[in-house]
Amino acid sequence: MRFVFLFFLTILFASQTVFAGESWGIYFPKDGGRPEANATAEQLLQYDAYFMGNENDKVLYMTFDAGYENGLTAGILDVLKKHKVPSAFFLVGGYIRDEPELIKRMVAEGHIVANHTMTHPDMSKISDLQTFEKELSRVEEIYREVTGEEIPKFYRPPRGIYSETNLKHAQQLGYKTIFWSTAYKDWEVNNQPSKEEAFSKLLPRTKPGSVILLHNVSKTNADILDELISRCKEMGYKFESLYHLVGK
């Protein structure tokens, strides 16, 4: 009887942590192994959602989130071009509207410009498909106006806050939801980590298949990116597009 009760608690806890309306969380084992998260790769896959790639391939996926531009992105693009690293930029609608030349450059240089919603809300509080779709479709319209193309169907929920309903809605709309497995506190522009702090957080957390999340408003990220990519390559990693992650 006690075993049955404990088994029930295990199943209940798993269902709550996978699909509760909470922020995406990553936990790093003390033994230095691959990170664990709110959900396993297998649980997410049923909703076309991902946070890591194949653990047997030394492949990394570089992604950036941005709600506004503060003059650092052109330099970041220069570094990515130098190293031939394909990246994904998850951008809100206002960024795409206000920075058309940067958007065109990203596309021309082989990067993915992806959907980070129009207004950056707490998406877990949106339960109806119509409202959810509006947050994404307005970004699609602006991207189409700027580039003349359809936006790649990759979506990242603002602040990583999600629910099972969100995952279902994104899937219904043809999107792949992309979380992350490597990140650090880099988004506070007036409280930037040092170069040493950045490397101490990023490098030990980088594993085969890691989806790296950086913010391109970060001066530290702009300063370390060249060396970060070089050190990852020295560790035997190569960088691939999100299309590789989702098997396209």
Side-chain angles (χ1 to χ4, degrees):
M1 185 68 180
R2 182 172 180 273
F3 173 79
V4 173
F5 178 69
L6 290 175
F7 178 76
F8 172 77
L9 285 181
T10 301
I11 298 300
L12 178 62
F13 178 76
S15 64
Q16 287 177 335
T17 55
V18 171
F19 301 124
E22 61 181 357
S23 293
W24 178 249
I26 296 293
Y27 313 95
F28 296 91
K30 293 181 179 179
D31 63 4
R34 282 164 64 87
E36 300 173 0
N38 300 42
T40 67
E42 291 74 21
Q43 290 167 325
L44 289 174
L45 190 58
Q46 64 183 310
Y47 299 102
D48 292 325
Y50 303 79
F51 84 102
M52 283 199 84
N54 191 325
E55 64 180 313
N56 297 315
D57 293 336
K58 296 202 75 172
V59 171
L60 304 177
Y61 305 93
M62 184 71 75
T63 72
F64 296 86
D65 284 5
Y68 63 96
E69 175 58 31
N70 65 346
L72 299 172
T73 305
I76 287 172
L77 288 171
D78 290 342
V79 174
L80 296 174
K81 184 176 182 179
K82 170 186 173 181
H83 289 278
K84 299 180 180 179
V85 171
S87 298
F89 290 83
F90 288 87
L91 307 177
V92 300
Y95 187 109
I96 299 173
R97 179 195 61 221
D98 296 340
E99 303 294 338
E101 296 310 312
L102 279 176
I103 302 307
K104 291 175 184 177
R105 179 180 173 186
M106 291 172 187
V107 174
E109 294 182 359
H111 304 300
I112 292 170
V113 174
N115 207 319
H116 201 37
T117 75
M118 186 66 203
T119 65
H120 206 266
D122 177 347
M123 296 297 278
S124 71
K125 294 181 179 179
I126 297 176
S127 58
D128 63 291
L129 178 59
Q130 184 177 7
T131 303
F132 184 93
E133 182 177 16
K134 186 177 180 181
E135 278 291 335
L136 274 60
S137 64
R138 183 61 183 128
V139 178
E140 295 171 358
E141 293 169 7
I142 295 172
Y143 182 87
R144 193 180 304 119
E145 292 168 3
V146 170
T147 68
E149 302 176 5
E150 297 300 318
I151 196 168
K153 288 296 187 82
F154 295 97
Y155 156 72
R156 176 171 285 162
R159 293 170 288 164
I161 304 176
Y162 73 104
S163 68
E164 181 179 15
T165 299
N166 294 162
L167 297 177
K168 289 179 179 178
H169 286 342
Q171 187 179 45
Q172 283 180 267
L173 296 173
Y175 276 88
K176 310 290 186 184
T177 299
I178 308 295
F179 292 105
W180 60 88
S181 55
T182 303
Y184 76 121
K185 191 174 180 180
D186 62 348
W187 59 87
E188 293 182 353
V189 295
N190 295 319
N191 185 29
Q192 283 288 286
S194 67
K195 170 184 173 179
E196 292 72 25
E197 290 171 330
F199 282 128
S200 71
K201 296 292 185 182
L202 292 171
L203 291 177
R205 296 175 178 179
T206 298
K207 307 295 178 183
S210 286
V211 177
I212 300 170
L213 164 60
L214 301 176
H215 289 82
N216 45 307
V217 296
S218 166
K219 180 68 164 55
T220 298
N221 288 340
D223 291 343
I224 70 167
L225 187 60
D226 194 345
E227 184 177 350
L228 176 64
I229 293 172
S230 294
R231 292 176 69 170
C232 287
K233 288 183 174 181
E234 289 168 2
M235 294 162 65
Y237 289 105
K238 63 179 180 178
F239 291 85
E240 294 283 2
S241 164
L242 290 183
Y243 288 111
H244 179 274
L245 174 67
V246 304
K248 287 190 175 182

